[in-house]
Amino acid sequence: MQHAADSAALAAATNGDVGYLIEARAVGARYGYANGALNTTVDAIDTAACPPPSTATNCYRVTISRPVPLYMMGIVGFSGDTAIGDRRAQTVRAQAVARPRGRGENYCLIGLSSSGEAIRINGGPNVDLAGCDMFSNSNLRCNGANSDNGVYYGDAVGTSNCGQVQRGGQSPIVDPFAQLSANPPIPANTCGAYPQGASGPVLSTSESWASPVKKCGDTRLTADVNVTAPNSVLVVYNGKLDLNGHKLQTSGSGSLTVIFSGTRTQGGSTTYSHFPANSTGTGRLDIAAPKTGALKGVAILQDGRLTGNKNDLDMVYKGNDPTLLIQGLIYMPNGNFQINGAINHKTDGLSCIGIVAKTILVSGTGSIFDNPTSECREAGLELPAVPGTANRLRLVQ
């Protein structure tokens, strides 16, 4: 019965028209569950709530039910929930939910480096990348049993051994977000100095987000900061953003892009870090990117013009230093991003994340929430599409 419900839900979603109920019942009948026969009911709706974290209500849900006569169960006092003639029966149900067709899939991880391994997945069954398709502009490598857990398409310019479908020899992807590394959309640097550590500026609870908030040097929180204004921008020049055991979040209609910019070719004796960090306690970056404007869909942006050995662009994410809950794009075109912990979606946010970096290494318990690009269109983020997936359907429950 469950197989029949699964197939009927996929058929209804494939039909995607007013005839979806007819389609679902026809498939059910082929599996021996004809609507009306043997007291069988096959129902379908096209307005089902898609499973969390999605907030969409356009999934297709098929429910098949049939009463089964009870014979010996009455001896132990079980009388079922219905009757067939003069015999007691129990209704048996199977249900399946399918996501509608037409959007196709998008890459959630893109490694831009044209040499070596732009994406590498190390580890075993603790790595979880369910529903995350990947593209490497060089080689794509998965090491360890089940290290590509949940990956469907693993595409690469060089070779690939990742995913259920492994496709090497692909044409390279030209950085789709290269236009972000410019003034605008990155506000011009007007800083005269870049104090580091505890000498740097504080991101306060009273910031005015009507225009970009600019901070020079290492920036830290001394209390939780809640951004409620849409299309807000925070720019940290030549410094990291230290959550310092606090939370930087968006709520309501608030949205935020965090930009790391500064001296483009950094030399000298000072090394500047350009990424979120956490020096004590449990810091959380819990933000949704703007859905409109020049920075739509972008949550974290490293300026692509930052180069030089004194610009530290490489981020090692452990899952709690800080904790990342992101709706939108993490863009690090010259940075190496190592993911050793779980990245989740923004609290009560859309199921959308994309990571574009020079190289990406996932290891240990590195993971990204399921189906991470399924609501990126609603979130304002347009990621490169996976070729050949425009009509691929997916059971989601």
Side-chain angles (χ1 to χ4, degrees):
M1 182 181 284
Q2 186 60 56
H3 187 44
D6 291 347
S7 298
L10 287 171
T14 300
N15 180 281
D17 205 343
V18 293
Y20 70 89
L21 177 58
I22 296 173
E23 192 79 31
R25 287 178 171 173
V27 171
R30 286 199 294 270
Y31 283 90
Y33 297 96
N35 185 62
L38 300 176
N39 299 300
T40 301
T41 301
V42 180
D43 280 329
I45 62 172
D46 63 349
T47 56
C50 300
S54 172
T55 58
T57 56
N58 64 340
C59 280
Y60 289 78
R61 185 177 70 213
V62 171
T63 304
I64 299 177
S65 62
R66 173 183 288 176
V68 177
L70 299 176
Y71 295 98
M72 303 299 292
M73 296 301 292
I75 297 174
V76 295
F78 182 74
S79 60
D81 62 357
T82 189
I84 302 176
D86 59 356
R87 185 179 296 277
R88 297 300 298 172
Q90 175 63 39
T91 304
V92 179
R93 293 181 177 85
Q95 189 174 92
V97 179
R99 194 177 70 190
R101 68 182 297 171
R103 291 195 174 187
E105 303 298 315
N106 301 89
Y107 293 114
C108 85
L109 299 184
I110 299 176
L112 296 174
S113 177
S114 59
S115 62
E117 296 167 350
I119 300 179
R120 182 184 182 96
I121 315 296
N122 285 337
N126 289 328
V127 171
D128 186 2
L129 297 170
C132 178
D133 300 314
M134 302 185 293
F135 190 96
S136 169
N137 266 348
S138 48
N139 296 313
L140 175 55
R141 188 69 53 227
C142 286
N143 295 321
N146 298 317
S147 60
D148 56 352
N149 224 0
V151 177
Y152 196 83
Y153 285 98
D155 293 346
V157 173
T159 61
S160 170
N161 72 336
C162 293
Q164 296 182 43
V165 179
Q166 303 167 5
R167 302 188 294 193
Q170 303 295 302
S171 298
I173 286 181
V174 178
D175 183 355
F177 301 103
Q179 75 279 1
L180 294 174
S181 298
N183 300 112
I186 298 176
N189 183 1
T190 56
C191 296
Y194 308 98
Q196 300 293 289
S199 300
V202 170
L203 183 69
S204 75
T205 59
S206 58
E207 302 286 352
S208 172
W209 297 97
S211 58
V213 174
K214 299 182 179 182
K215 300 294 180 179
C216 305
D218 284 346
T219 302
R220 70 189 189 282
L221 276 66
T222 57
D224 293 350
V225 175
N226 182 26
V227 179
T228 59
N231 296 75
S232 300
V233 176
L234 168 64
V235 193
V236 180
Y237 298 98
N238 285 346
K240 59 181 175 291
L241 175 63
D242 182 2
L243 279 294
N244 194 30
H246 298 286
K247 181 192 298 183
L248 173 57
Q249 68 174 14
T250 58
S251 65
S253 60
S255 59
L256 176 65
T257 301
V258 180
I259 300 175
F260 296 93
S261 188
T263 307
R264 297 177 189 175
T265 303
Q266 172 60 21
S269 59
T270 303
T271 297
Y272 297 134
S273 297
H274 300 271
F275 44 76
N278 185 62
S279 59
T280 185
T282 302
R284 291 161 64 92
L285 186 60
D286 188 358
I287 62 172
K291 296 180 181 179
T292 60
L295 291 167
K296 69 175 184 177
V298 183
I300 299 175
L301 165 62
Q302 275 187 354
D303 192 335
R305 298 166 297 180
L306 296 173
T307 60
N309 60 6
K310 292 297 181 178
N311 274 321
D312 182 6
L313 305 172
D314 301 336
M315 180 176 174
V316 178
Y317 175 64
K318 301 177 183 178
N320 56 5
D321 281 328
T323 298
L324 296 182
L325 300 100
I326 302 296
Q327 175 184 307
L329 175 70
I330 299 176
Y331 182 59
M332 304 169 56
N334 295 325
N336 303 303
F337 192 13
Q338 182 173 335
I339 304 171
N340 295 343
I343 299 177
N344 212 330
H345 59 84
K346 185 201 176 302
T347 302
D348 298 325
L350 296 171
S351 183
C352 173
I353 192 170
I355 299 174
V356 178
K358 180 181 178 181
T359 67
I360 301 169
L361 170 63
V362 184
S363 61
T365 57
S367 67
I368 297 173
F369 53 86
D370 289 357
N371 303 321
T373 65
S374 61
E375 295 183 310
C376 280
R377 183 170 298 179
E378 293 92 332
L381 178 58
E382 294 290 337
L383 291 163
V386 180
T389 65
N391 294 320
R392 185 155 73 91
L393 300 169
R394 177 177 290 154
L395 283 170
V396 291
Q397 194 176 68

